[in-house]
Amino acid sequence: MDVLKIAEEAGLSVLLDGRIGRQEYTSVSGSVAALLRFAEAIRADSTPQARAPERT
């Protein structure tokens, strides 16, 4: 699950603040509506139906 990609798709602004060695520091900001969309996307992605592999 790419949390930062989901945040951007929900309408949040994702900014790379800095990098020290291999560690990246990122800020995420946005509206409450965008936060709610992000939370719903995470919830939907973490349900057992979303993670279950398709049977063929």
Side-chain angles (χ1 to χ4, degrees):
M1 175 184 322
D2 186 344
V3 175
L4 295 179
K5 181 179 178 186
I6 295 169
E8 286 180 334
E9 290 172 351
L12 294 168
S13 179
V14 178
L15 303 170
L16 175 63
D17 291 327
R19 183 175 292 138
I20 299 174
R22 294 183 183 159
Q23 183 66 45
E24 290 185 354
Y25 296 87
T26 305
S27 294
V28 179
S29 63
S31 67
V32 172
L35 179 60
L36 292 172
R37 287 190 299 271
F38 173 77
E40 177 59 26
I42 294 295
R43 187 195 63 74
D45 194 51
S46 64
T47 60
Q49 298 87 358
R51 293 185 306 213
E54 291 185 22
R55 295 183 180 172
T56 55

